[in-house]
């Protein structure tokens, strides 16, 4: 996504991993922020993964009332995999790939923690925003994305009901 127009008509948006400082700068320089806000204010879901989670947090776009810490797992644990229990995806643990991942330092009361690692939230959901510190796209397990798809279906139904 490079222009604001590309956001029009999207039912859901993924803000992926990368480098949050660069992404924040690009959102600004490409003039995409107003279109992102329109999408969010319409209640259309957003999935933020890794740097995407940082970009959505209270210190950046403010789409989810949570604060994150960049590169939180430190040097030794820069990149690792873990089996997480994730609320809403079933009993079977979810294999999660962390790459210089953030963790969540603070969440508002109405933001739900779906998974933790080392005592810190690493998957959260608040309103129409789902966010993970890990990269759900790097495994074959579709369950985290399915959770996001279910949020999109609900949002579509709500929009249709509004007419
Ligand atoms: N460390 C990156 C950042 O702080 C995030 C890394 C990632 O998205 N895999 O923005």
């Amino acid at each position: 996504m490079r222009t604001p127009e590309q956001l029009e008509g999207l039912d859901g948006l993924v803000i992926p991993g990368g480098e949050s400082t660069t992404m924040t700068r690009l959102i600004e320089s490409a003039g995409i922020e107003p279109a992102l806000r329109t999408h969010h204010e319409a209640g259309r879901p957003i999935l933020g993964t890794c740097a995407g989670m940082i970009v959505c947090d209270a210190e950046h776009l403010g789409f989810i009332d949570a604060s994150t810490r960049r590169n939180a797992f430190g040097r030794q644990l820069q990149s690792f995999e873990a089996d997480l229990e994730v609320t809403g995806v079933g009993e079977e643990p979810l294999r999660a790939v962390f790459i210089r991942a953030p963790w969540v330092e603070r969440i508002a009361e109405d933001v739900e923690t779906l998974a933790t690692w080392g005592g810190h939230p690493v998957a959260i959901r608040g309103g129409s925003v789902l966010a993970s510190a890990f990269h759900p796209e790097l495994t074959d397990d579709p369950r985290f994305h399915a959770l996001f798809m279910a949020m999109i279906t609900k949002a579509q139904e709500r929009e249709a009901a509004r007419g």
Side-chain angles (χ1 to χ4, degrees), residues 73-130:
F73 291 95
R75 238 188 240 173
Q76 276 159 0
L77 270 180
Q78 274 214 339
S79 301
F80 61 100
E81 295 187 18
D83 290 316
L84 301 181
E85 277 174 43
V86 183
T87 304
V89 307
E91 298 270 289
E92 187 73 22
L94 186 92
R95 189 85 180 151
V97 180
F98 292 82
I99 302 169
R100 295 188 308 283
W103 70 40
V104 177
E105 291 264 279
R106 174 201 67 84
I107 50 169
E109 247 170 57
D110 58 355
V111 175
E112 196 185 350
T113 296
L114 303 180
T116 60
W117 186 250
H120 297 274
V122 290
I124 57 176
R125 181 168 53 191
S128 57
V129 178
L130 178 66

Side-chain angles (χ1 to χ4, degrees), residues 19-119:
E19 214 284 312
S20 53
T21 319
T22 309
M23 286 160 64
T24 303
R25 237 183 268 139
L26 285 173
I27 286 169
E28 168 111 39
S29 64
I32 285 169
E33 187 172 331
L36 287 171
R37 292 204 179 281
T38 303
H39 177 96
H40 180 243
E41 279 155 24
R44 298 186 186 134
I46 296 174
L47 169 61
T49 63
C50 203
M53 174 166 95
I54 300 172
V55 169
C56 287
D57 82 1
E59 281 73 33
H60 296 84
L61 290 170
F63 289 167
I64 190 161
D65 194 359
S67 301
T68 58
R69 177 194 286 256
R70 290 184 68 195
N71 304 321
F73 291 95
R75 238 188 240 173
Q76 276 159 0
L77 270 180
Q78 274 214 339
S79 301
F80 61 100
E81 295 187 18
D83 290 316
L84 301 181
E85 277 174 43
V86 183
T87 304
V89 307
E91 298 270 289
E92 187 73 22
L94 186 92
R95 189 85 180 151
V97 180
F98 292 82
I99 302 169
R100 295 188 308 283
W103 70 40
V104 177
E105 291 264 279
R106 174 201 67 84
I107 50 169
E109 247 170 57
D110 58 355
V111 175
E112 196 185 350
T113 296
L114 303 180
T116 60
W117 186 250

